[in-house]
Amino acid sequence: MRTLHKVLVLTSILSLAACKSTKSTATVEDLASAKIIATHYETHPQFETLAARLKIKYSDPKTNQSVTVSLRMQKGETIWMSASVLGISLAKAMITRDRVQFYEKIDGTYFDGDFELLSDLLGIELDYDQVEALLTGQPIYDLRSGGFSAGPTSSRYLIAPKKQSKLFNLFFYLNSGAFTLQEQRLTQREENRDLTIQYGDYIQEQQSYFPSEIHVRAQEEEKTTTIDIEYRGIDFNTNVSFPFNIPGGLKEIKL
């Protein structure tokens, strides 16, 4: 009876161990994905305000332009840009959580409305948080919300939804060493749309990383729009202001 008792106890212990092992194995992928995603967000500098100078090149089938831009940001609240050529102010934009305002003097036009203008430009629906994420080297969708899996490829980490949406496919690629964002891509096959955002080298700021270059390519059927952004000087947590006033006599952009 003692022998039988020992065998039963041993069998129970082994059964419990097997159950625990199976449960652990089933969540290893989720734990690894969560760790990769959390490590990426740890690379992002914490700041309240940002001021920077940008060199922006914009190209679409009708336009090819290069401008110098002053960027100011109150994190989570306001993005302000002023574009100039040879020191002459040509355009300004101010983006808040529920409003997009823009004017330019060359064609004498302005826009004052919601995010429809930016969404139309890139071919996907955008909100304030996504625009801010794009400019600061972060995924345009919060990967910490769950539902994403991450794993290594031959040269970098790939993060994608466990189940892709019926409307579009999402892909995010991280540097395998620094865990910084290298590329994010959104594709809509039925509409023949493709949005790719690539990041060049990162600069180290506040013991974290901030992108030095951003390359945006929006493809819709035969139309291609590209925006190349180069950061030329960044100051964190400095005093910033957002002067903005649409001049009179401009023609409103209607979408």
Side-chain angles (χ1 to χ4, degrees):
M1 291 295 293
R2 287 184 179 179
T3 302
L4 178 59
H5 179 72
K6 289 180 180 179
V7 170
L8 291 174
V9 171
L10 179 60
T11 303
S12 300
I13 292 173
L14 291 175
S15 298
L16 288 172
C19 290
K20 291 180 179 179
S21 176
T22 302
K23 183 177 180 181
S24 176
T25 302
T27 59
V28 163
E29 182 179 347
D30 292 336
L31 291 172
S33 297
K35 179 62 176 177
I36 291 170
I37 291 169
T39 303
H40 160 69
Y41 281 99
E42 290 171 1
T43 69
H44 189 52
Q46 300 300 312
F47 64 91
E48 294 299 323
T49 65
L50 178 151
R53 296 184 305 278
L54 311 178
K55 183 73 172 181
I56 298 180
K57 295 180 180 179
Y58 175 88
S59 175
D60 65 24
K62 297 181 180 179
T63 308
N64 196 332
Q65 200 168 32
S66 178
V67 295
T68 299
V69 173
S70 174
L71 167 68
R72 300 173 189 174
M73 185 182 299
Q74 179 78 39
K75 190 174 182 181
E77 296 181 11
T78 306
I79 298 170
W80 177 94
M81 292 184 179
S82 177
S84 62
V85 174
L86 299 176
I88 301 173
S89 179
L90 298 179
K92 281 187 179 182
M94 187 162 70
I95 304 170
T96 58
R97 299 202 68 84
D98 58 1
R99 192 175 184 184
V100 174
Q101 296 175 286
F102 163 82
Y103 73 83
E104 54 85 21
K105 297 179 180 178
I106 296 178
D107 293 327
T109 60
Y110 78 94
F111 178 83
D112 188 352
D114 57 21
F115 282 82
E116 186 180 2
L117 177 67
L118 296 179
S119 300
D120 184 66
L121 176 66
L122 297 180
I124 64 167
E125 291 189 10
L126 292 173
D127 60 22
Y128 178 89
D129 291 325
Q130 290 172 315
V131 175
E132 186 176 282
L134 189 157
L135 290 171
T136 57
Q138 295 297 298
I140 58 176
Y141 292 92
D142 192 343
L143 305 181
R144 298 164 294 188
S145 61
F148 290 90
S149 62
T153 64
S154 59
S155 60
R156 52 188 181 174
Y157 290 110
L158 168 62
I159 302 176
K162 295 177 181 178
K163 184 178 181 180
Q164 293 282 10
S165 167
K166 293 181 179 180
L167 300 177
F168 53 79
N169 292 334
L170 283 173
F171 304 95
F172 304 91
Y173 299 90
L174 304 183
N175 180 290
S176 59
F179 292 88
T180 51
L181 184 64
Q182 288 187 327
E183 180 181 327
Q184 46 187 326
R185 186 177 182 188
L186 185 152
T187 63
Q188 295 174 295
R189 292 184 179 180
E190 292 186 4
E191 291 80 5
N192 197 19
R193 291 177 176 174
D194 188 292
L195 174 64
T196 302
I197 306 165
Q198 295 179 320
Y199 297 87
D201 293 335
Y202 279 74
I203 55 178
Q204 194 161 7
E205 293 282 350
Q206 299 181 336
Q207 299 180 338
S208 301
Y209 296 94
F210 197 88
S212 63
E213 295 179 359
I214 306 171
H215 305 283
V216 181
R217 184 178 184 273
Q219 179 81 39
E220 183 172 2
E221 296 181 349
E222 301 301 320
K223 178 185 176 182
T224 301
T225 299
T226 61
I227 306 172
D228 296 318
I229 302 172
E230 179 184 353
Y231 279 90
R232 295 184 172 182
I234 304 171
D235 291 316
F236 291 104
N237 299 321
T238 186
N239 291 328
V240 292
S241 59
F242 308 106
F244 190 89
N245 184 44
I246 298 175
L250 302 183
K251 182 180 178 180
E252 184 177 7
I253 296 174
K254 298 289 188 180
L255 297 179

